[in-house]
Amino acid sequence: MAADDSKAAEGFIHVTCSSDPEQEMIRGAASDGTIEAELPAGSYQAVFESTDGRFGPMAGFEVLEETVEVWLEVPRPFGVRLLCADQRSGDGLEGARVSFLRTDLADAGIEVAERAVFSGPGGTVVAEDLAQVTWTITGSLAEYSTVTSQVELPGRWSEQLEESGELTIGTFKLIPLTRVTFELVDIPTGTDPAQFRIAHTHQGDPVAFDGAGRAVVELGRFEVPLYVKLWHPDGRESIRYLDGGLPGDGDVHEISVGGGQELEVDLRLGREVRDALPLGGAAVQVSFRDENGDAVLVVEETNDSGVFRFDGLDAKTATVSLTVVEDGWPVAWRAETLALAADRRNTCTLSVMERPLKLACVDGDGAPVPGFHAEVRHVPDTTTWIAGGACGEDGMVTVPRATSGRYSMSGSNEDYSVVAVDLPVDLSAAGSVVTVSLSPITQTLVECQVDGKPRAGVRLSMIGADLSTSFGDESTDDEGRTEPYGLVDRSRARARLESLELWAPAREIDLLPGRNVLVAFETGVVEGRLEQLASLRSLAFGISLQDWRDAGQIRIEASGGRRFRTRVPAGEYLLDTVAGEEVALHVLVGETAALP
C-alpha cells in the first residue's frame, strides 16, 4: 500500500466480494502497507482505512487463476463549501441539515456514519474531511421536502482541489412543501372513511383519511396535472390525473367514492384467451372523466365469477377494458366505450374471444419503424382511456380489439423525425395484425400574418384535430414561419394560436402539405356593460361583440357588477346607443377603450 514513492501506509485493508458485500472476506492490518490473501475466482472490491478511521477510494478487481496485484489509494481529505437555498425563490436557507454519506462503502457492506452539518447564515454549508468518491448528499428542513442527490467529488471541480485544497460546488436546492387536501364525498353507508388511503404515485407513503374523510398529501417536486392513487377498503385501486386543477389555498379537492352511476361488467373469455392468460396479472379497468374534469382509472383484478361491479362513476361515458400484465407492463387486450345512464344501473358484456391485435408501424417503403411510440385513444376522448406503447424492432406494438367506435393513433419516434397525429386506426379488423403506413408528407410550413404581414415570435401549439393531443409548441422565426415536426400522411393535425395579445378569426387551422397561413390581428381592450356587447360592431368585420362571444372568438372577463372587459382586434367600431344614435369608437393597439 504505497502512500507515495518512498513510504508505506499503516492501517487496515477491507476486501469484500462484489456479489455478497454483506460478508466481509478480509479485514487485515497492513503495517507495511500490504496484505496477501488467497481468494476464490470472482469479483471483489477493496478499500484502505487509515489508523485514524479515514477511508480511501474503493477499488474493484477480478481474481482469475493467476496472482493479482491491487494498488489502493490512501485517504486525501478535503473540504466542501456549498449554498443551501429555496428552490423557488433562490434565497439561502439557514438551519438546514445537510448530510454526506459515502455510497461506495455502504454498497460494499462497510458500516460508516453519515456526516451531517447545518447551514449557517445565508445558507452556507461547510463540510470537512471528505474523500475523492461519490457521495450521497441529503438536505432536509422543516416545511421543505427532503432532497437527495449523488455527487462525484471532486468530479468536475478537480481544478479547484488542485489549486486550493477545497471545493465550492454551487447550490443545493430544497423544495418547499405543497399540501393538497382531499375530501371523500358520497361515502357509502357503513363504510369507514379511515379505511381509504391516498398518495402521490411518485413520492411519499400512502396517507390514511381521517374519520371525517379528509387527508392531506405533502408534495415536494411535482408536475401538473397531479397524479394520485386511491386505495379503497375492498382492495380496489383507482388512479386519478387531476386535470381539473389543484385546489386553492384553504380549499379541498373532492373525490366521489359512492355517488354517480353503477356499472356491472360481465367478462366472458374464449378458450384461446383463457388458455393464454397468465395465472395472475389480469384485471378489468374502467376509465372515465369525473365532474372535476379529472381522469380516473379504476382497477379490479379478475375473479372466478367473471362479474365486476363498479360504483361512484360520476361520468357520462366510460371505457371498459381487460388488461394483462406482459413483461411487467399492463397491456389492453379488449376495450369498449359506452354511455352511462344516470337513472338506472348500467351493464356491459366484455367478450374477449381472441388475443389482442398487433399494430405494425411501417415507413413508406414498408420497412418497420422500431422505437415508434404509438398511443391509441377513443374518439371523442371523453374517458381519457389510452393504449399502446413503444414498437419493437419489428415495428409492432400490442393494441386492444374493439367492436365499435372510432379510434385514433398519435405518436412519434425519439427524435420526432416521424410524427403521426390523429391517424385513424381500425381496432375491429379481422386477423391479428393491422398495418399503419407512416409515409412522410411534403414539407409543412405554418406562417402567421399579423395585420397582413409575417410576424416573428408568435407562439403556436401543434395539436390533433380529433383529440387535441399536443405534439409541440413552436414560435415563428424572423420570416413569421415555423416548420412543425415530420408529419406523416393522413395525419389530422392543427396549429393553434397561443399568443393571447393577438386575435384571430380562427385560432386553429388544419395543417396541410405545403404553406399554411394563420391570420391574426393586433388588439386592444374594450370595457363596458354586458348589455352593450350586442350593440358594439366592428366596421372591418361587420360583426358584433356578442356574435364573437357566441362563436367563442373573444373571451369576456367580468370586471364587477354587470361590467365586462375583453380583448378585440384594433380598429374602428360603432356603438348603437339607446337613443338610436351611432357613436364611433377607436380601439388602439395595446390600449383600453371604455364604452360610454
Side-chain angles (χ1 to χ4, degrees):
M1 166 57 72
D4 51 38
D5 292 339
S6 61
K7 179 181 175 183
E10 294 186 3
F12 302 91
I13 292 177
H14 301 257
V15 181
T16 58
C17 180
S18 299
S19 61
D20 188 12
E22 296 298 325
Q23 181 180 358
E24 185 174 60
M25 303 290 294
I26 299 172
R27 182 181 184 272
S31 59
D32 63 348
T34 65
I35 61 171
E36 292 185 0
E38 291 186 358
L39 298 172
S43 299
Y44 296 87
Q45 48 201 357
V47 65
F48 177 76
E49 178 188 2
S50 63
T51 54
D52 58 3
R54 292 190 175 101
F55 287 87
M58 182 74 67
F61 61 97
E62 297 285 334
V63 172
L64 301 175
E65 296 180 356
E66 67 275 4
T67 300
V68 179
E69 189 176 69
V70 181
W71 289 82
L72 302 177
E73 292 186 43
V74 297
R76 294 182 174 87
F78 55 87
V80 168
R81 183 182 298 270
L82 58 86
L83 178 67
C84 190
D86 185 293
Q87 187 260 351
R88 294 177 184 169
S89 67
D91 297 336
L93 296 173
E94 183 176 357
R97 184 182 187 273
V98 181
S99 66
F100 297 78
L101 181 65
R102 282 190 57 166
T103 57
D104 57 340
L105 296 181
D107 292 342
I110 299 175
E111 293 186 8
V112 58
E114 66 177 4
R115 304 180 185 185
V117 294
F118 289 87
S119 58
T124 301
V125 176
V126 179
E128 303 290 350
D129 207 24
L130 300 186
Q132 301 182 42
V133 294
T134 298
W135 292 84
T136 297
I137 305 178
T138 301
S140 59
L141 182 64
E143 297 301 314
Y144 287 81
S145 64
T146 299
V147 176
T148 299
S149 178
Q150 287 196 346
V151 181
E152 182 184 354
L153 299 176
R156 56 191 177 95
W157 301 279
S158 297
E159 291 185 3
Q160 289 186 33
L161 187 59
E162 294 174 2
E163 293 174 359
S164 64
E166 184 181 73
L167 304 182
T168 300
I169 64 174
T171 303
F172 195 77
K173 297 180 179 179
L174 297 186
I175 304 170
L177 286 176
T178 298
R179 292 182 172 88
V180 181
T181 302
F182 295 90
E183 182 175 2
L184 302 177
V185 296
D186 304 320
I187 303 172
T189 303
T191 300
D192 181 4
Q195 297 299 311
F196 289 86
R197 295 178 299 147
I198 192 169
H200 180 12
T201 56
H202 301 311
Q203 59 177 281
D205 296 325
V207 178
F209 287 80
D210 61 20
R214 286 198 174 191
V216 178
V217 176
E218 294 184 340
L219 304 171
R221 179 183 290 112
F222 66 95
E223 296 181 355
V224 177
L226 182 62
Y227 184 23
V228 297
K229 188 173 185 178
L230 182 70
W231 286 266
H232 298 244
D234 59 4
R236 282 187 300 146
E237 300 173 358
S238 62
I239 297 171
R240 296 169 181 266
Y241 290 91
L242 304 192
D243 294 321
L246 296 177
D249 291 339
D251 296 333
V252 299
H253 188 93
E254 293 185 348
I255 297 178
S256 174
V257 292
Q261 288 70 263
E262 295 182 356
L263 174 63
E264 182 179 287
V265 179
D266 182 4
L267 177 63
R268 302 183 182 182
L269 305 178
R271 177 174 298 178
E272 176 189 356
V273 172
R274 189 181 299 275
D275 293 342
L277 286 180
L279 295 177
V284 173
Q285 296 186 354
V286 177
S287 305
F288 62 95
R289 190 180 294 279
D290 68 9
E291 292 184 352
N292 292 326
D294 299 338
V296 183
L297 173 64
V298 184
V299 183
E300 187 171 337
E301 293 185 1
T302 53
N303 55 48
D304 293 337
S305 71
V307 177
F308 306 83
R309 293 179 175 85
F310 302 88
D311 54 17
L313 309 183
D314 48 342
K316 296 181 179 179
T317 57
T319 297
V320 182
S321 60
L322 173 69
T323 63
V324 179
V325 175
E326 298 180 0
D327 297 326
W329 293 94
V331 177
W333 280 30
R334 185 79 166 80
E336 287 294 342
T337 299
L338 64 152
L340 297 176
D343 57 348
R344 63 181 176 84
R345 189 173 182 179
N346 297 271
T347 60
C348 170
T349 300
L350 192 64
S351 298
V352 190
M353 299 299 159
E354 298 175 277
R355 292 177 62 88
L357 289 167
K358 289 289 186 180
L359 200 65
C361 295
V362 300
D363 61 18
D365 298 324
V369 184
F372 185 84
H373 192 93
E375 295 181 346
V376 175
R377 292 178 173 86
H378 183 265
V379 179
D381 185 19
T382 55
T383 69
T384 71
W385 175 86
I386 183 173
C391 296
E393 291 299 319
D394 57 0
M396 290 194 180
V397 64
T398 302
V399 294
R401 295 180 182 272
T403 56
S404 61
R406 291 196 305 127
Y407 293 85
S408 181
M409 185 194 83
S410 297
S412 66
N413 55 359
E414 189 172 351
D415 62 0
Y416 288 92
S417 60
V418 180
V419 177
V421 180
D422 283 0
L423 204 64
V425 59
D426 184 8
L427 298 185
S428 63
S432 59
V433 178
V434 174
T435 301
V436 176
S437 177
L438 302 177
S439 303
I441 62 177
T442 57
Q443 185 182 34
T444 301
L445 296 174
V446 182
E447 179 179 309
C448 184
Q449 293 185 358
V450 179
D451 293 327
K453 298 179 181 179
R455 172 68 63 87
V458 176
R459 191 165 66 91
L460 306 171
S461 62
M462 308 303 163
I463 60 174
D466 288 330
L467 306 178
S468 296
T469 305
S470 175
F471 62 100
D473 290 333
E474 303 276 342
S475 291
T476 55
D477 58 18
D478 292 340
E479 296 181 353
R481 292 184 172 185
T482 180
E483 182 179 351
Y485 300 118
L487 292 174
V488 302
D489 192 24
R490 295 194 305 136
S491 285
R492 302 191 62 245
R494 299 173 69 84
R496 180 169 62 201
L497 176 65
E498 297 291 354
S499 299
L500 298 179
E501 70 276 6
L502 299 175
W503 178 88
R507 297 191 75 87
E508 296 181 8
I509 60 170
D510 291 327
L511 284 183
L512 303 175
R515 176 171 171 259
N516 302 271
V517 178
L518 194 153
V519 177
F521 296 87
E522 296 275 18
T523 61
V525 174
V526 172
E527 292 182 343
R529 300 186 305 277
L530 286 173
E531 57 267 24
Q532 293 175 309
L533 286 171
S535 304
L536 186 64
R537 310 188 311 277
S538 165
L539 289 182
F541 296 94
I543 194 170
S544 73
L545 268 61
Q546 184 62 51
D547 293 331
W548 272 336
R549 181 188 189 182
D550 294 342
Q553 293 174 310
I554 59 173
R555 182 180 302 172
I556 301 296
E557 300 176 13
S559 59
R562 293 280 300 169
R563 298 191 62 79
F564 76 91
R565 57 179 289 137
T566 185
R567 188 174 291 275
V568 297
E572 295 186 2
Y573 290 77
L574 285 179
L575 175 66
D576 295 329
T577 66
V578 178
E581 300 177 349
E582 291 184 339
V583 177
L585 182 73
H586 295 276
V587 178
L588 303 179
V589 175
E591 297 188 9
T592 299
L595 298 180

